[in-house]
Amino acid sequence: MNQPEISKQDREILRDLARRQAGLAASDVNRERIALWYDHNDGHGSRPMIHLELGTFAHEVISPLLRCSTHAARQIEMNLYNNFANQEFFDDDRVTPDYYPVCYDSDFRLFNLDVKVEHTSDADGNTSLGHHFVSQITDLEEDYPKLQATRYEASAGTLADKIAFLTDLFGDILPVRPEMGCLYCVPTQYLLHIMSMETMMYSLYDYPDLFRKMMNRIAEDTNAYYRMLEKKGLIWPTVGHNPLGQGSWCYTRELPGEEEAKKRPLTTRDVWGFLDSQETVGISPEMYEEFIFPCYREIAQNYGRLSYGCCEPVHPIWKNCLSKLPNLRKLSISPWCDEAYMGEQLRGTNIIYHRKPSPNFLGVGATLDEDAFRDHIRATVRAAKGCKLEITQRDVYTINHDISKARRFVQIIREETEDAYSLT
């Protein structure tokens, strides 16, 4: 595998960043947060965990700091900053790992259709956030022959070369380790990559049997993909700083770790999985139960632990669907969810109330309305009383270039949750 050339100057920049990450990772506060995450995910945490997801506004925080001269070096530079920026800039509960993670290559191409995307451009001609998926299925019955056998593959073949290359750069400062994230699966999102929302909705009505057949195939193909990962030995422990999706991590003592993996091949039942179905908010709970949930339930049974949901409100499908998933351990409570109802349902259970506050408080306007935001968080604390609470702020696309505003935002969440939990 050909590796990019890294100049002497870029090498020193990367090594300096590796030192910053290693220093923050070794700090007492970071070690304390690791212990808190383990307790939290295993159901006996002492306080809510807080995370401000940086990725959607990294262009305002990290991009101006990049100094490397080539694209390859800047990608590594960006990754290093991502590993420790939250601890350095926001003081939330995101952990700074004491290593640089590298993942193996994998691909799941539903029905062997290449996803086609059209992007918009900003005033400077650069690719912007706006995009559109080109529909390849416009009438499910007419176009069904286009749905070929799903293509999937995975390989750790280039992993050793990647690790060797990065280890040569800064491995004497910061270890480079292979890592697998959770098994992340979003079937209805896959559909919206090949057909429009209108086509999906009309297909439920016009071709219900064909739609069920299609969803069954997605479940079967996902299961086959997982069996392939098991056969290739590519199911690795997800018990530490592995990404869990939706701004969370896999820390747990309840699933097999490295020691067990040395004794036997792991299966999907040994790791975390993630599912969501944002695209079905426009259908009734009954239709979700009939057409969507059978596929999701079939896939969910693969996992040892499950985290479910993104922006979709989960309360309409809780009673007849999600509550029946025995391995569910983390549930997204989005801005569109009935907080109080879900608090009643999750109170006293081992399922984490994973709250996603409205992004408008931080992402809209130059200043933070502290009183309004405190009221917003207090409502969450009241609704989640008696639940295991986690708060992840997602979908903020600008902080108006004001890191102090974001840091204050996190501080207010911490103040409000600590005040509430100190009284319990």
Side-chain angles (χ1 to χ4, degrees), residues 250-264:
C250 294
Y251 293 99
T252 181
R253 303 181 186 92
E254 295 181 347
L255 293 173
E258 295 293 342
E259 290 304 312
E260 184 66 19
K262 293 176 183 177
K263 301 174 185 176
R264 63 172 176 87

Side-chain angles (χ1 to χ4, degrees), residues 103-106 153-159 232 234:
C103 301
Y104 58 74
D105 298 320
S106 63
E153 54 189 344
S155 173
T158 61
L159 204 57
K232 289 189 172 186
L234 293 177

